[in-house]
């Protein structure tokens, strides 16, 4: 049994995939002095090309904004315009894709069906 565990750790087909799902942005209304608050995200795209895009704009009287932003890779979030603090709420998702168990040999029952 200990041999099987060491194989799992070195096997790249069972590698975890980290994602961040941001659902809500909350702005501190006591320190809100600017008319507009803008947040941007910077990450890698196709063929490791650098991508930068605005994903949130909040007006002076908007203290909370709901949205869905899935970040599948490492990224930097920057405050482009306005002042903070801004709290981002969401969840950390961890997926395990184990490709060793997919596409294996079929049993007789599966072949008959």
């Amino acid at each position: 049994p200990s041999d099987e565990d060491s194989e799992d750790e070195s096997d790249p087909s069972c590698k975890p995939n980290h994602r961040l799902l941001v659902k809500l942005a909350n702005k501190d209304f006591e320190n809100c002095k600017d008319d507009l608050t803008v947040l941007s995200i910077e990450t890698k795209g196709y063929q490791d090309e650098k991508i930068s895009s605005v994903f949130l704009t909040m007006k002076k009287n908007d203290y909370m904004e709901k949205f869905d932003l899935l970040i599948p890779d490492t990224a930097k979030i920057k405050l482009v315009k306005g002042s903070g603090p801004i709290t981002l709420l969401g969840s950390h998702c961890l997926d395990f894709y184990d490709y060793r168990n997919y596409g294996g040999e079929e049993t007789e029952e599966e072949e008959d069906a």
Side-chain angles (χ1 to χ4, degrees):
S2 63
D3 293 337
E4 293 175 6
D5 292 338
S6 63
E7 290 176 7
D8 289 343
E9 292 175 4
S10 62
D11 189 6
S13 65
C14 188
K15 193 173 183 180
N17 185 13
H18 296 270
R19 295 178 181 187
L20 183 63
L21 179 62
V22 184
K23 301 286 277 181
L24 182 88
N26 195 8
K27 188 166 56 168
D28 186 13
F29 60 88
E30 292 177 359
N31 296 328
C32 180
K33 300 171 186 170
D34 298 318
D35 289 337
L36 188 65
T37 303
V38 179
L39 290 178
S40 72
I41 187 167
E42 189 175 288
T43 187
K44 291 180 183 177
Y46 181 68
Q47 294 182 346
D48 292 332
E49 185 178 337
K50 185 177 171 182
I51 297 173
S52 181
S53 177
V54 171
F55 72 93
L56 178 68
T57 57
M58 297 175 76
K59 294 182 181 178
K60 186 174 186 174
N61 295 328
D62 295 337
Y63 300 113
M64 184 171 55
E65 188 73 34
K66 294 180 183 179
F67 58 96
D68 289 325
L69 176 65
L70 181 63
I71 305 171
D73 202 0
T74 57
K76 292 181 184 179
I77 296 175
K78 295 182 180 181
L79 183 62
V80 177
K81 185 176 181 183
S83 60
I86 296 176
T87 305
L88 297 176
L89 300 174
S91 60
H92 173 240
C93 305
L94 186 62
D95 296 326
F96 284 94
Y97 296 111
D98 188 2
Y99 295 110
R100 294 173 295 175
N101 297 330
Y102 295 113
E105 297 178 11
E106 294 181 358
T107 62
E108 291 180 16
E109 295 173 2
E110 292 175 351
E111 291 175 357
D112 293 337

